[in-house]
Coordinates of all heavy atoms in Angstrom, one line a residue:
M2 N 99.4 98.2 102.1 CA 100.2 99.1 102.9 C 101.7 98.8 102.6 O 102.1 97.7 102.7 CB 100.0 98.9 104.4 CG 100.7 99.9 105.2 SD 99.9 100.6 106.6 CE 98.2 100.4 106.3
T3 N 102.4 99.8 102.1 CA 103.8 99.6 101.7 C 104.8 100.0 102.7 O 105.9 99.5 102.8 CB 104.1 100.3 100.4 OG1 103.8 101.6 100.5 CG2 103.3 99.6 99.2
N4 N 104.5 101.0 103.6 CA 105.4 101.5 104.6 C 105.5 100.6 105.8 O 104.5 100.5 106.5 CB 105.0 102.9 105.0 CG 106.0 103.6 105.9 OD1 106.7 102.9 106.6 ND2 106.1 104.9 105.9
P5 N 106.6 99.9 106.0 CA 106.7 98.9 107.2 C 106.5 99.6 108.5 O 105.9 99.0 109.4 CB 108.0 98.3 107.0 CG 108.8 99.1 106.0 CD 107.8 99.9 105.2
E6 N 106.9 100.9 108.7 CA 106.7 101.5 110.0 C 105.2 101.7 110.2 O 104.8 101.6 111.4 CB 107.4 102.9 110.0 CG 108.9 102.8 110.2 CD 109.7 102.5 108.9 OE1 109.1 102.7 107.8 OE2 110.8 101.9 109.0
L7 N 104.4 102.1 109.2 CA 103.0 102.3 109.3 C 102.3 100.9 109.7 O 101.4 100.9 110.5 CB 102.4 102.8 108.1 CG 102.6 104.3 107.8 CD1 101.9 104.7 106.5 CD2 102.0 105.1 108.9
K8 N 102.8 99.8 109.2 CA 102.3 98.5 109.5 C 102.5 98.2 111.0 O 101.6 97.7 111.6 CB 102.9 97.5 108.6 CG 102.2 96.2 108.5 CD 102.8 95.2 107.6 CE 102.2 93.8 107.8 NZ 102.9 92.8 107.2
V9 N 103.7 98.5 111.4 CA 104.0 98.3 112.8 C 103.1 99.1 113.7 O 102.6 98.7 114.7 CB 105.5 98.6 113.1 CG1 105.8 98.5 114.6 CG2 106.4 97.6 112.4
A10 N 103.0 100.4 113.3 CA 102.2 101.3 114.1 C 100.7 100.9 114.2 O 100.1 100.9 115.2 CB 102.2 102.8 113.5
D11 N 100.2 100.4 113.0 CA 98.8 99.9 113.0 C 98.7 98.6 113.9 O 97.7 98.5 114.6 CB 98.4 99.5 111.6 CG 98.0 100.7 110.8 OD1 97.8 101.8 111.4 OD2 97.9 100.6 109.5
A12 N 99.6 97.8 113.9 CA 99.6 96.6 114.7 C 99.5 96.9 116.2 O 98.8 96.4 117.0 CB 100.8 95.6 114.4
I13 N 100.4 97.9 116.6 CA 100.4 98.4 118.0 C 99.1 99.0 118.3 O 98.5 98.8 119.4 CB 101.6 99.3 118.2 CG1 102.9 98.6 118.0 CG2 101.5 100.0 119.6 CD1 104.1 99.5 118.0
R14 N 98.5 99.8 117.4 CA 97.2 100.5 117.7 C 96.1 99.4 117.8 O 95.3 99.5 118.8 CB 96.8 101.4 116.5 CG 97.6 102.7 116.5 CD 97.1 103.7 115.5 NE 98.0 104.7 115.3 CZ 98.8 104.8 114.2 NH1 98.7 103.9 113.2 NH2 99.7 105.7 114.1
E15 N 96.1 98.4 117.0 CA 95.1 97.4 117.1 C 95.1 96.6 118.4 O 94.1 96.4 119.0 CB 95.2 96.4 115.9 CG 94.8 96.9 114.6 CD 95.2 96.0 113.4 OE1 95.4 94.8 113.7 OE2 95.2 96.5 112.3
V16 N 96.3 96.3 118.8 CA 96.5 95.5 120.1 C 96.1 96.4 121.2 O 95.5 96.0 122.2 CB 97.9 95.0 120.2 CG1 98.2 94.4 121.6 CG2 98.2 93.9 119.1
T17 N 96.5 97.7 121.1 CA 96.2 98.6 122.2 C 94.7 98.8 122.4 O 94.1 98.8 123.5 CB 96.8 100.0 121.9 OG1 98.2 99.8 121.8 CG2 96.5 101.0 123.0
V18 N 94.0 98.9 121.2 CA 92.5 99.0 121.3 C 91.9 97.8 121.9 O 91.0 97.9 122.8 CB 91.9 99.3 119.9 CG1 90.4 99.1 119.8 CG2 92.3 100.7 119.4
A19 N 92.4 96.6 121.5 CA 91.9 95.4 122.1 C 92.1 95.3 123.6 O 91.3 94.9 124.4 CB 92.5 94.2 121.4
M20 N 93.3 95.8 124.0 CA 93.6 95.8 125.5 C 92.7 96.8 126.2 O 92.2 96.4 127.3 CB 95.1 96.3 125.7 CG 96.1 95.2 125.3 SD 96.2 93.9 126.4 CE 96.9 94.7 127.9
Q21 N 92.5 98.0 125.6 CA 91.7 99.0 126.3 C 90.2 98.4 126.4 O 89.6 98.6 127.5 CB 91.7 100.3 125.5 CG 93.0 101.0 125.6 CD 93.0 102.2 124.6 OE1 92.6 102.1 123.5 NE2 93.7 103.3 125.1
K22 N 89.8 97.7 125.4 CA 88.4 97.2 125.5 C 88.3 96.1 126.6 O 87.4 96.0 127.3 CB 88.0 96.6 124.1 CG 86.6 96.1 124.1 CD 86.2 95.8 122.6 CE 84.7 95.3 122.5 NZ 84.0 95.1 123.7
A23 N 89.4 95.2 126.6 CA 89.4 94.2 127.6 C 89.4 94.8 129.0 O 88.8 94.3 130.0 CB 90.6 93.3 127.4
I24 N 90.1 95.9 129.2 CA 90.2 96.5 130.5 C 88.8 97.2 130.8 O 88.2 97.0 131.9 CB 91.3 97.6 130.6 CG1 92.7 97.0 130.6 CG2 91.1 98.5 131.8 CD1 93.8 97.9 130.3
A25 N 88.2 97.9 129.8 CA 86.9 98.5 130.0 C 85.8 97.5 130.3 O 84.9 97.8 131.1 CB 86.6 99.3 128.7
D26 N 85.9 96.3 129.7 CA 84.9 95.3 129.8 C 85.1 94.5 131.1 O 84.3 93.6 131.4 CB 84.8 94.4 128.6 CG 84.3 95.1 127.4 OD1 83.8 96.2 127.5 OD2 84.5 94.5 126.3
G27 N 86.2 94.8 131.8 CA 86.5 94.1 133.0 C 87.1 92.7 132.9 O 87.3 92.0 133.8
Y28 N 87.6 92.4 131.7 CA 88.2 91.1 131.4 C 89.7 91.1 131.9 O 90.3 90.1 132.1 CB 88.2 90.7 130.0 CG 86.8 90.3 129.5 CD1 86.2 91.0 128.5 CD2 86.1 89.3 130.1 CE1 84.9 90.7 128.1 CE2 84.8 88.9 129.7 CZ 84.2 89.6 128.7 OH 82.9 89.3 128.3
R29 N 90.2 92.3 132.0 CA 91.6 92.5 132.3 C 91.8 93.5 133.4 O 91.1 94.5 133.5 CB 92.4 93.0 131.0 CG 93.6 92.3 130.7 CD 94.1 92.7 129.4 NE 94.6 91.6 128.6 CZ 95.6 90.9 128.9 NH1 96.4 91.1 129.9 NH2 96.0 89.9 128.1
S30 N 92.8 93.2 134.3 CA 93.1 94.2 135.3 C 93.9 95.3 134.8 O 94.6 95.2 133.8 CB 93.9 93.4 136.4 OG 94.6 94.3 137.2
R31 N 93.9 96.5 135.5 CA 94.7 97.6 135.2 C 96.2 97.4 135.6 O 97.1 98.1 135.1 CB 94.2 98.9 135.8 CG 92.9 99.3 135.2 CD 92.5 100.7 135.7 NE 91.4 101.2 134.8 CZ 91.5 101.8 133.6 NH1 92.7 102.0 133.2 NH2 90.5 102.1 132.9
M32 N 96.4 96.4 136.5 CA 97.7 96.1 136.9 C 98.4 95.3 135.8 O 97.8 94.3 135.3 CB 97.7 95.3 138.2 CG 96.9 96.0 139.4 SD 97.8 97.4 139.9 CE 99.2 96.7 140.8
I33 N 99.6 95.6 135.5 CA 100.3 94.8 134.4 C 101.4 94.1 135.1 O 102.1 94.6 135.9 CB 100.8 95.8 133.3 CG1 101.4 94.9 132.1 CG2 101.8 96.8 133.8 CD1 101.6 95.8 130.9
D34 N 101.6 92.8 134.6 CA 102.8 92.0 135.1 C 103.5 91.5 133.9 O 103.2 91.8 132.7 CB 102.3 90.9 136.0 CG 101.4 89.9 135.4 OD1 101.4 89.8 134.1 OD2 100.8 89.1 136.1
A35 N 104.6 90.7 134.1 CA 105.4 90.3 133.0 C 104.6 89.4 132.0 O 104.8 89.5 130.8 CB 106.6 89.5 133.6
D36 N 103.7 88.6 132.5 CA 102.9 87.7 131.6 C 102.0 88.6 130.7 O 101.9 88.3 129.5 CB 102.0 86.8 132.4 CG 102.8 85.7 133.1 OD1 103.9 85.4 132.6 OD2 102.3 85.2 134.1
D37 N 101.5 89.7 131.2 CA 100.7 90.6 130.3 C 101.5 91.2 129.2 O 101.1 91.3 128.1 CB 100.1 91.7 131.2 CG 99.0 91.3 132.2 OD1 98.2 90.4 131.8 OD2 99.0 91.7 133.3
L38 N 102.7 91.6 129.6 CA 103.7 92.2 128.7 C 104.0 91.2 127.5 O 104.0 91.6 126.4 CB 104.9 92.7 129.4 CG 105.9 93.4 128.5 CD1 105.3 94.7 127.8 CD2 107.2 93.8 129.3
V39 N 104.3 90.0 127.9 CA 104.6 89.0 126.9 C 103.5 88.8 126.0 O 103.6 88.7 124.8 CB 105.0 87.6 127.6 CG1 105.1 86.5 126.6 CG2 106.4 87.8 128.3
E40 N 102.2 88.7 126.6 CA 101.0 88.5 125.8 C 100.8 89.6 124.7 O 100.5 89.4 123.6 CB 99.8 88.4 126.7 CG 98.7 87.6 126.2 CD 97.6 87.5 127.2 OE1 97.8 86.9 128.3 OE2 96.5 88.1 127.0
V41 N 101.1 90.8 125.2 CA 100.9 92.0 124.3 C 101.9 92.0 123.2 O 101.6 92.2 122.0 CB 101.0 93.3 125.1 CG1 101.2 94.5 124.2 CG2 99.8 93.5 126.0
L42 N 103.2 91.7 123.5 CA 104.2 91.7 122.5 C 104.0 90.6 121.5 O 104.1 90.8 120.3 CB 105.6 91.5 123.1 CG 106.1 92.7 124.0 CD1 107.4 92.3 124.7 CD2 106.3 93.9 123.1
L43 N 103.5 89.4 121.9 CA 103.2 88.3 121.0 C 102.0 88.6 120.1 O 102.0 88.3 119.0 CB 103.0 87.0 121.8 CG 104.2 86.4 122.4 CD1 103.8 85.1 123.2 CD2 105.2 86.0 121.3
A44 N 101.0 89.4 120.7 CA 99.9 89.8 119.9 C 100.3 90.7 118.8 O 99.8 90.6 117.7 CB 98.8 90.4 120.8
I45 N 101.2 91.6 119.1 CA 101.7 92.5 118.0 C 102.5 91.7 117.0 O 102.3 91.9 115.8 CB 102.6 93.6 118.7 CG1 101.7 94.5 119.6 CG2 103.3 94.4 117.6 CD1 102.6 95.5 120.4
A46 N 103.3 90.8 117.4 CA 104.1 90.0 116.5 C 103.2 89.2 115.6 O 103.4 89.1 114.4 CB 105.0 89.1 117.2
D47 N 102.1 88.6 116.1 CA 101.1 87.8 115.3 C 100.4 88.7 114.3 O 100.1 88.2 113.2 CB 100.1 87.2 116.3 CG 100.7 86.0 117.0 OD1 101.8 85.6 116.7 OD2 100.0 85.5 117.9
R48 N 100.2 89.9 114.6 CA 99.5 90.8 113.6 C 100.5 91.1 112.5 O 100.1 91.3 111.3 CB 99.0 92.1 114.3 CG 97.6 91.9 114.8 CD 97.2 93.1 115.6 NE 95.8 93.0 116.0 CZ 95.4 92.2 117.0 NH1 96.2 91.4 117.6 NH2 94.1 92.2 117.3
L49 N 101.8 91.3 112.8 CA 102.7 91.6 111.8 C 103.1 90.4 110.9 O 103.4 90.5 109.8 CB 104.0 92.2 112.4 CG 103.8 93.5 113.1 CD1 105.0 93.9 113.8 CD2 103.4 94.6 112.0
D50 N 103.1 89.2 111.6 CA 103.6 88.0 110.9 C 102.7 86.9 111.4 O 103.0 86.1 112.3 CB 105.0 87.7 111.3 CG 105.6 86.5 110.6 OD1 105.1 86.1 109.6 OD2 106.5 85.9 111.2
P51 N 101.5 86.8 110.7 CA 100.5 85.8 111.2 C 101.0 84.4 111.3 O 101.8 84.0 110.4 CB 99.4 85.9 110.1 CG 99.5 87.2 109.5 CD 101.0 87.5 109.6
P52 N 100.7 83.6 112.3 CA 101.2 82.3 112.5 C 100.8 81.4 111.3 O 101.5 80.4 111.0 CB 100.6 81.8 113.8 CG 99.8 82.9 114.4 CD 99.8 84.0 113.4
V53 N 99.6 81.6 110.7 CA 99.2 80.8 109.5 C 99.8 81.5 108.3 O 99.4 82.6 107.9 CB 97.7 80.8 109.4 CG1 97.3 80.0 108.1 CG2 97.1 80.2 110.6
A54 N 100.9 81.0 107.9 CA 101.7 81.6 106.9 C 101.0 81.7 105.5 O 100.4 80.7 105.1 CB 103.1 80.9 106.7
E55 N 101.1 82.8 104.9 CA 100.6 82.9 103.5 C 101.7 82.9 102.5 O 101.5 83.0 101.3 CB 99.8 84.2 103.4 CG 98.5 84.2 104.2 CD 97.6 85.4 103.9 OE1 98.1 86.4 103.3 OE2 96.4 85.3 104.2
S56 N 102.9 82.8 103.0 CA 104.1 82.7 102.2 C 104.8 81.4 102.4 O 104.8 80.9 103.6 CB 105.1 83.8 102.5 OG 104.5 85.1 102.2
V57 N 105.4 80.8 101.4 CA 106.1 79.6 101.6 C 107.5 79.9 102.1 O 107.9 81.1 102.0 CB 106.2 78.8 100.2 CG1 104.9 78.4 99.7 CG2 107.0 79.6 99.2
A58 N 108.2 79.0 102.6 CA 109.6 79.2 103.1 C 110.5 79.6 101.9 O 110.2 79.2 100.8 CB 110.1 77.9 103.7
P59 N 111.5 80.4 102.2 CA 112.4 80.9 101.1 C 112.9 79.8 100.2 O 113.0 80.1 99.0 CB 113.5 81.6 101.9 CG 112.9 81.9 103.2 CD 111.9 80.9 103.5
E60 N 113.1 78.6 100.7 CA 113.7 77.6 99.8 C 112.7 77.0 98.9 O 113.0 76.3 97.9 CB 114.3 76.4 100.7 CG 113.4 75.8 101.7 CD 113.4 76.3 103.1 OE1 113.6 77.6 103.2 OE2 113.3 75.6 104.0
F61 N 111.4 77.3 99.1 CA 110.3 76.9 98.1 C 109.8 78.0 97.2 O 108.8 77.9 96.6 CB 109.2 76.2 98.9 CG 109.6 75.0 99.6 CD1 109.5 75.0 101.0 CD2 110.0 73.9 99.0 CE1 109.9 73.8 101.7 CE2 110.4 72.7 99.7 CZ 110.4 72.7 101.1
A62 N 110.5 79.2 97.3 CA 110.1 80.3 96.4 C 110.3 80.0 95.0 O 111.1 79.1 94.6 CB 110.9 81.5 96.8
C63 N 109.6 80.8 94.1 CA 109.8 80.6 92.7 C 111.3 80.8 92.3 O 111.8 81.9 92.7 CB 108.9 81.6 91.9 SG 109.3 81.6 90.1
P64 N 112.0 79.9 91.6 CA 113.4 80.1 91.3 C 113.6 81.2 90.3 O 114.7 81.7 90.2 CB 113.8 78.7 90.8 CG 112.5 78.1 90.3 CD 111.4 78.6 91.1
E65 N 112.6 81.6 89.5 CA 112.7 82.6 88.5 C 112.6 84.0 89.1 O 113.4 84.9 88.9 CB 111.7 82.4 87.4 CG 111.8 83.4 86.3 CD 113.1 83.2 85.5 OE1 113.7 82.1 85.5 OE2 113.5 84.2 84.8
C66 N 111.4 84.3 89.8 CA 111.1 85.6 90.3 C 111.1 85.8 91.8 O 111.0 86.9 92.3 CB 109.8 86.1 89.7 SG 108.4 85.2 90.5
G67 N 111.3 84.6 92.5 CA 111.3 84.7 93.9 C 110.0 84.8 94.6 O 109.9 85.0 95.8
E68 N 108.9 84.6 93.9 CA 107.5 84.7 94.4 C 107.4 83.7 95.6 O 107.8 82.6 95.5 CB 106.5 84.4 93.3 CG 105.0 84.4 93.8 CD 104.6 85.8 94.4 OE1 104.7 86.8 93.6 OE2 104.2 85.8 95.5
R69 N 106.8 84.1 96.7 CA 106.6 83.2 97.9 C 105.2 83.1 98.3 O 104.8 82.3 99.2 CB 107.4 83.7 99.0 CG 108.9 83.5 98.8 CD 109.7 84.0 100.0 NE 109.3 83.5 101.3 CZ 109.5 84.0 102.5 NH1 110.3 85.1 102.6 NH2 109.1 83.4 103.6
H70 N 104.2 83.9 97.8 CA 102.9 83.9 98.2 C 102.2 82.6 97.7 O 102.2 82.3 96.5 CB 102.1 85.1 97.7 CG 100.9 85.4 98.6 ND1 99.7 84.6 98.4 CD2 100.6 86.3 99.5 CE1 98.8 85.1 99.3 NE2 99.3 86.0 100.0
I71 N 101.5 81.9 98.7 CA 100.9 80.6 98.3 C 99.9 80.7 97.2 O 99.7 79.8 96.5 CB 100.3 79.9 99.5 CG1 99.4 80.7 100.3 CG2 101.4 79.4 100.4 CD1 98.6 80.0 101.4
D72 N 99.2 81.9 97.2 CA 98.1 82.0 96.1 C 98.7 82.1 94.7 O 98.0 81.9 93.7 CB 97.3 83.3 96.4 CG 96.4 83.2 97.6 OD1 96.2 82.0 98.1 OD2 95.9 84.2 98.0
H73 N 100.0 82.4 94.6 CA 100.6 82.5 93.3 C 101.4 81.3 92.9 O 102.0 81.2 91.8 CB 101.5 83.8 93.2 CG 100.8 85.0 93.4 ND1 101.3 86.2 93.7 CD2 99.5 85.3 93.2 CE1 100.4 87.2 93.8 NE2 99.3 86.6 93.4
L74 N 101.5 80.3 93.8 CA 102.3 79.1 93.6 C 101.3 77.9 93.6 O 100.9 77.5 94.7 CB 103.4 78.9 94.6 CG 104.4 80.1 94.6 CD1 105.4 79.9 95.8 CD2 105.2 80.2 93.3
V75 N 101.0 77.4 92.5 CA 99.9 76.4 92.4 C 100.5 75.1 91.8 O 101.2 75.1 90.8 CB 98.7 76.9 91.5 CG1 97.6 75.8 91.4 CG2 98.2 78.2 92.1
W76 N 100.1 74.0 92.4 CA 100.5 72.7 91.9 C 99.9 72.5 90.5 O 98.6 72.5 90.4 CB 100.1 71.5 92.8 CG 100.9 71.5 94.1 CD1 100.5 71.9 95.3 CD2 102.2 70.9 94.2 NE1 101.5 71.7 96.2 CE2 102.6 71.1 95.6 CE3 103.1 70.4 93.4 CZ2 103.8 70.7 96.1 CZ3 104.4 70.0 93.9 CH2 104.7 70.1 95.2
E77 N 100.7 72.3 89.5 CA 100.2 72.1 88.2 C 100.0 70.6 87.9 O 99.0 70.1 87.3 CB 101.1 72.7 87.1 CG 100.5 72.7 85.7 CD 101.1 73.7 84.8 OE1 100.6 74.9 84.8 OE2 102.1 73.4 84.2
T78 N 101.0 69.8 88.3 CA 100.9 68.3 88.3 C 101.3 67.8 89.6 O 101.4 68.6 90.6 CB 101.9 67.7 87.2 OG1 103.2 68.0 87.6 CG2 101.6 68.3 85.8
D79 N 101.5 66.5 89.8 CA 101.8 66.0 91.1 C 103.2 66.5 91.6 O 103.4 66.5 92.8 CB 101.9 64.4 91.0 CG 100.4 63.9 91.1 OD1 99.5 64.6 91.4 OD2 100.3 62.7 90.8
D80 N 104.1 66.9 90.7 CA 105.4 67.3 91.1 C 105.9 68.6 90.5 O 107.0 69.0 90.7 CB 106.4 66.2 90.9 CG 106.4 65.6 89.6 OD1 105.9 66.2 88.7 OD2 106.8 64.4 89.4
L81 N 105.0 69.3 89.9 CA 105.4 70.6 89.3 C 104.5 71.7 89.8 O 103.3 71.6 89.9 CB 105.3 70.6 87.8 CG 106.4 69.7 87.0 CD1 106.1 69.7 85.5 CD2 107.8 70.1 87.3
I82 N 105.2 72.8 90.1 CA 104.4 74.0 90.6 C 104.5 75.1 89.5 O 105.6 75.3 88.9 CB 105.1 74.5 91.9 CG1 104.7 73.6 93.1 CG2 104.6 75.9 92.2 CD1 105.3 73.9 94.4
R83 N 103.4 75.8 89.3 CA 103.3 76.9 88.4 C 103.3 78.2 89.2 O 102.5 78.3 90.1 CB 102.1 76.8 87.5 CG 102.1 77.8 86.3 CD 100.9 77.6 85.4 NE 100.3 78.9 85.2 CZ 100.8 79.8 84.4 NH1 101.9 79.6 83.7 NH2 100.1 80.9 84.2
C84 N 104.2 79.1 88.8 CA 104.2 80.4 89.4 C 103.4 81.4 88.6 O 103.7 81.6 87.4 CB 105.6 80.9 89.5 SG 105.7 82.7 90.1
S85 N 102.3 81.9 89.1 CA 101.4 82.8 88.3 C 102.0 84.2 88.3 O 101.5 85.0 87.5 CB 100.0 82.8 88.9 OG 100.0 83.4 90.2
A86 N 103.0 84.5 89.0 CA 103.6 85.8 89.0 C 104.4 86.0 87.7 O 104.4 87.0 87.0 CB 104.4 86.1 90.2
C87 N 105.2 84.9 87.4 CA 106.1 85.1 86.2 C 105.8 84.0 85.1 O 106.3 84.1 84.0 CB 107.6 85.0 86.6 SG 108.1 83.3 87.1
G88 N 105.0 83.0 85.5 CA 104.5 82.0 84.5 C 105.3 80.8 84.3 O 104.9 79.9 83.5
I89 N 106.4 80.6 85.0 CA 107.2 79.4 84.8 C 106.6 78.3 85.6 O 105.9 78.5 86.6 CB 108.7 79.6 85.2 CG1 108.9 79.7 86.7 CG2 109.3 80.8 84.5 CD1 110.3 79.3 87.2
T90 N 107.0 77.1 85.3 CA 106.7 75.9 86.0 C 108.0 75.3 86.5 O 109.0 75.2 85.7 CB 106.0 74.9 85.0 OG1 104.8 75.5 84.6 CG2 105.6 73.6 85.8
F91 N 108.0 74.9 87.8 CA 109.3 74.3 88.3 C 109.0 73.2 89.2 O 107.9 73.0 89.8 CB 110.1 75.4 89.0 CG 109.4 76.0 90.2 CD1 109.7 75.6 91.5 CD2 108.5 77.0 90.1 CE1 109.1 76.1 92.6 CE2 107.8 77.6 91.2 CZ 108.2 77.2 92.4
D92 N 110.1 72.4 89.4 CA 110.0 71.2 90.3 C 110.6 71.6 91.6 O 111.8 71.8 91.7 CB 110.8 70.0 89.7 CG 110.7 68.8 90.5 OD1 110.2 68.9 91.7 OD2 111.2 67.8 90.1
P93 N 109.8 71.7 92.7 CA 110.3 72.2 94.0 C 111.3 71.2 94.6 O 112.1 71.6 95.5 CB 109.0 72.3 94.8 CG 108.0 71.4 94.2 CD 108.3 71.4 92.7
A94 N 111.3 70.0 94.1 CA 112.2 69.0 94.7 C 113.6 69.0 94.0 O 114.5 68.4 94.5 CB 111.6 67.6 94.6
A95 N 113.6 69.7 92.9 CA 114.9 69.7 92.1 C 115.8 70.8 92.5 O 116.3 71.5 91.7 CB 114.5 69.8 90.6
R96 N 116.1 70.9 93.8 CA 117.1 71.9 94.2 C 117.9 71.4 95.4 O 117.5 70.7 96.2 CB 116.6 73.2 94.5 CG 115.1 73.3 94.7 CD 114.7 74.7 95.0 NE 113.5 75.1 94.3 CZ 113.2 76.4 94.4 NH1 113.9 77.3 94.9 NH2 112.1 76.8 93.8
Ligands
ZN21 ZN1 107.8 83.2 89.4

């Protein structure tokens, strides 16, 4: 999915469906309070930006192409990382 607005809409839909099911199954009250609102907002945020990161922090991105996905940055030796996106090998400590 490339359109960020669609991604946000899908996250809201998924959380809404989960909430409706929880209400229908009797796990959740129809009354909403501040704690429920916080929980819903955090659930949407987690879907958009999962807590288990699949991207490295910007300072550890590939210096050549900026790749950040962990699947594309693989330790080649004890101190060198190879970027499978552009093919370079770099020392993440050398910056
Ligand atoms: Zn790269």
Side-chain angles (χ1 to χ4, degrees):
M2 186 139 340
T3 52
N4 185 332
E6 284 81 21
L7 283 179
K8 196 177 171 195
V9 171
D11 279 347
I13 293 171
R14 285 189 195 103
E15 286 171 21
V16 170
T17 302
V18 166
M20 288 287 290
Q21 287 171 325
K22 185 170 180 357
I24 291 168
D26 292 349
Y28 292 119
R29 228 173 223 292
S30 161
R31 289 189 170 276
M32 304 292 289
I33 186 168
D34 64 18
D36 290 336
D37 292 318
L38 182 58
V39 167
E40 205 175 296
V41 167
L42 291 173
L43 287 176
I45 292 169
D47 283 351
R48 273 172 172 73
L49 293 172
D50 183 24
V53 178
E55 294 191 338
S56 296
V57 299
E60 58 265 35
F61 297 114
C63 171
E65 182 67 24
C66 71
E68 180 61 57
R69 287 178 56 198
H70 200 285
I71 52 171
D72 287 349
H73 294 160
L74 301 171
V75 178
W76 288 101
E77 188 158 272
T78 64
D79 282 348
D80 47 22
L81 291 177
I82 288 176
R83 186 178 134 75
C84 172
S85 65
C87 69
I89 71 155
T90 300
F91 62 98
D92 181 354
R96 15 181 138 187

